[in-house]
Amino acid sequence: MAERLDVSRQTVNAIETGKYDPSLPLAFKIAALFGRPIESIFDPGE
Amino acid sequence: MSGPSKSPSKLTNRRALAMMGGVAVLCALPCLLAGMLTGRRWLVTLGLVVAATGAAWLLCARFAREEVMRPVHVRYLREFFPAMAGYVVLMMVSGALVPRMESVAARVALAALPLLPIALLVRAMVRVLRDQDELERRIDLEAIAIAAMSTAFGFFSFGLLPLADIGWQVSGHTVAIWVMPCLFAIFGITKPLVARRYRDRE
C-alpha cells in the first residue's frame, strides 16, 4: 500500500494508528486507492 | 494490496546504517593515525568526530528495522557518501597545505576548499527534504527546528559565559567551526525522538 501511495511504511502506519492526519492530496489518493469516498475512510471527529 | 514497485532497491535501513558506520570508522582511522604521528590536534579532532559519528551509526544499525529503503533515500546516500568522503580528504589536504603556502590568495582558496563538498551535502539534504513524503518531511523539519534552536541557544550561552571572566580562552574560529557539526549531531539525536511521536506504541 505504501508503495502504491508513494509514501513510507512509517507514514501509512502513522495514518492507520491515528498518530498523523494526512494532507488533503494524500487523503484523496488513499480514498482513490480503496475506491471509496474520502468521508467513508476519514472521520473528522477523530 | 501490493503493487509493482517502481525501482525496488535491496538496500535496507539497517544495512545502510551499518555501511555508513563502517565507512566512517574506516575514514577516521587514518585521520587519527596521521594526527597522532604528526602531532596535529585538528586531525585528531576530525578523526574523533568522524569515529563518534560512525559508532553512532553502527549503534543505530543494531536497533534499526530491516526495511527496504525508498529510492529518494537511496539517492540521498548516493549523494551523501561522495560529499562526506570528499570533505574528509579535502580537510586533510587543506590542513596539510595551508601552512606551507606563501600567497594569501592560495591560503584562502585552500582553506575554503572543504566548503565544496559541504555545499554538495547541503544540496543533498535540501533535495531529500523536498522529495520525501509529507510525514518524513514533517519529522525532519521538526528535528531541524529543534536542532537549530538548541544550537543557537547553546552557542549563545557559550558566548555569554566569558562575561563571567572564568578564564576560558576559546578562539572565534574554533567556535564557528563547531556550529555545523553541533547542528547535525543534535539533529541526529532529535530525529528519532520526534519520529517516536508518530510511531505506534505496542
Side-chain angles (χ1 to χ4, degrees):
Chain A
M1 179 172 169
E3 270 176 22
R4 289 177 68 173
L5 292 169
D6 198 21
V7 297
S8 63
R9 210 175 65 105
Q10 174 193 25
T11 302
V12 171
N13 185 42
I15 294 168
E16 278 174 352
T17 54
K19 302 246 180 237
Y20 174 67
D21 295 325
S23 67
L24 209 48
L26 182 56
F28 274 114
K29 268 170 100 174
I30 294 168
L33 189 71
F34 286 110
R36 290 170 63 186
I38 199 166
E39 61 272 21
S40 72
I41 298 173
F42 296 102
D43 177 6
E46 265 183 49
Chain B
M1 209 180 281
S2 63
S5 172
K6 279 178 193 166
S7 56
S9 94
K10 296 276 184 254
L11 193 62
T12 62
N13 287 351
R14 182 178 287 180
R15 208 182 298 170
L17 279 166
M19 226 166 66
M20 283 160 60
V23 170
V25 170
L26 283 178
C27 282
L29 290 177
C31 284
L32 283 169
L33 209 65
M36 284 190 279
L37 289 176
T38 59
R40 289 196 170 101
R41 275 181 56 198
W42 66 268
L43 256 178
V44 177
T45 310
L46 178 70
L48 285 176
V49 170
V50 176
T53 309
W57 282 334
L58 286 172
L59 190 71
C60 290
R62 199 163 147 56
F63 300 103
R65 282 185 192 163
E66 195 70 58
E67 198 176 321
V68 175
M69 288 186 87
R70 296 173 64 225
V72 60
H73 294 121
V74 175
R75 185 194 68 194
Y76 172 67
L77 285 185
R78 233 182 268 138
E79 294 174 349
F80 175 89
F81 265 121
M84 274 318 279
Y87 170 71
V88 172
V89 170
L90 288 182
M91 268 304 276
M92 292 172 81
V93 169
S94 158
L97 294 182
V98 165
R100 294 177 196 173
M101 289 289 156
E102 293 288 323
S103 140
V104 176
R107 283 206 304 271
V108 169
L110 274 169
L113 211 54
L115 287 178
L116 283 173
I118 293 297
L120 290 174
L121 188 70
V122 170
R123 176 179 170 267
M125 289 183 84
V126 171
R127 266 159 63 85
V128 77
L129 211 58
R130 279 184 181 163
D131 296 342
Q132 59 193 352
D133 77 39
E134 54 187 59
L135 179 59
E136 290 171 327
R137 192 180 309 125
R138 184 177 177 151
I139 290 169
D140 275 4
L141 289 176
E142 277 184 35
I144 288 171
I146 293 169
M149 293 306 287
S150 310
T151 307
F153 184 80
F155 277 85
F156 184 65
S157 314
F158 197 74
L160 288 178
L161 283 180
L163 291 176
D165 200 18
I166 49 178
W168 283 4
Q169 290 294 324
V170 185
S171 68
H173 106 271
T174 306
V175 172
I177 227 160
W178 279 99
V179 172
M180 214 165 183
C182 284
L183 182 73
F184 287 157
I186 298 173
F187 169 69
I189 294 165
T190 314
K191 189 178 166 175
L193 299 176
V194 173
R196 263 173 66 98
R197 286 182 50 214
Y198 299 99
R199 209 170 290 148
D200 189 23
R201 289 184 195 95
E202 289 172 287

